């Protein structure tokens, strides 16, 4: 009877270990796009800090985390809007020339470690800002994805409705044209 209980206990322990691996994503099921999702790892914390610094118009994080081959895309554009850290900084600074009071809700930050070796961190949340030219308070749901290669960010994809950005740019052009006296 003791042996039977010992065999049952060992079997239960072995099954529990296999199930634990499945829950933690350590068991590779052969799907290259499966993997592990982690909501509180170092990469998610870095992205959260980068978002905070961006909202403060502080791009000090760029030299530490963006790779030289970094690309930035938006879901509303079919091409790359910035290549490399310098173009990215210029693009982000332009956002600050049309909006004040930029902030983000805490949102959901997760890092995806895929079986194919890709590592992505995503932010699902909301962007808040005040238009400098329209005076409008804006609220934009945003999904931002960054792709890591080692400890450098090589790509960012921002998915958001750009109508408020377009309205603010248009308002800035109208104001600039009104300053011209012929």
């Amino acid at each position: 009877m003791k042996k039977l209980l010992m065999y049952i206990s060992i079997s239960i322990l072995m099954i529990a270990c296999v199930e634990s691996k499945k829950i933690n994503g350590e068991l590779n099921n052969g799907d290259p796009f499966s993997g592990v999702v982690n909501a509180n790892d170092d990469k998610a914390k870095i992205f959260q800090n980068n978002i905070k610094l961006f909202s403060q118009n502080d791009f000090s994080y760029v030299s530490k985390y963006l790779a030289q081959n970094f690309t930035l895309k938006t879901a509303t554009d079919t091409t790359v809007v910035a290549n490399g850290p310098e173009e990215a900084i210029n693009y982000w600074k332009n956002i600050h020339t049309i909006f004040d009071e930029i902030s983000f809700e805490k949102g959901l930050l997760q890092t995806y470690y895929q079986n194919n070796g890709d590592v992505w961190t995503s932010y699902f949340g909301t962007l808040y800002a005040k238009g400098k030219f329209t005076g409008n308070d804006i609220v934009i749901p945003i999904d931002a994805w960054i792709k890591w290669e080692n400890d450098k960010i090589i790509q960012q994809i921002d998915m958001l409705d750009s109508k408020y950005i377009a309205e603010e740019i248009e308002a800035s052009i109208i104001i600039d044209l009104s300053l011209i006296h012929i």
Side-chain angles (χ1 to χ4, degrees), residues 41-172:
D41 71 336
D42 289 340
K43 289 181 174 15
K45 289 175 185 174
I46 289 167
F47 196 17
Q48 182 175 25
N49 189 57
N50 293 356
I51 290 169
K52 177 184 170 193
L53 291 172
F54 166 83
S55 69
Q56 298 168 355
N57 204 11
D58 177 351
F59 305 104
S60 59
Y61 63 91
V62 169
S63 62
K64 184 173 182 179
Y65 294 112
L66 267 59
Q68 288 303 310
N69 63 337
F70 173 80
T71 58
L72 174 63
K73 294 181 179 182
T74 64
T76 58
D77 200 336
T78 59
T79 62
V80 173
V81 296
N83 280 305
E86 287 181 28
E87 283 185 19
I89 290 172
N90 288 335
Y91 177 83
W92 292 324
K93 282 183 177 181
N94 285 334
I95 299 295
H96 283 272
T97 64
I98 59 173
F99 292 110
D100 272 329
E101 302 172 26
I102 296 172
S103 65
F104 296 85
E105 75 176 328
K106 185 174 180 184
L108 173 64
L109 281 149
Q110 296 180 318
T111 302
Y112 304 82
Y113 296 87
Q114 295 178 300
N115 292 337
N116 67 3
D118 286 353
V119 178
W120 289 85
T121 301
S122 65
Y123 166 77
F124 300 101
T126 305
L127 165 70
Y128 301 95
K130 184 166 197 73
K132 287 186 177 182
F133 300 94
T134 64
N136 294 338
D137 290 323
I138 64 161
V139 178
I140 304 174
I142 183 170
D143 299 341
W145 292 79
I146 58 174
K147 184 175 184 181
W148 296 87
E149 194 169 275
N150 301 315
D151 289 328
K152 293 286 187 177
I153 301 168
I154 61 167
Q155 183 178 25
Q156 180 169 330
I157 303 170
D158 294 339
M159 293 175 267
L160 61 121
D161 184 348
S162 63
K163 72 180 177 186
Y164 296 110
I165 296 170
E167 287 173 5
E168 210 58 42
I169 291 170
E170 185 177 329
S172 74

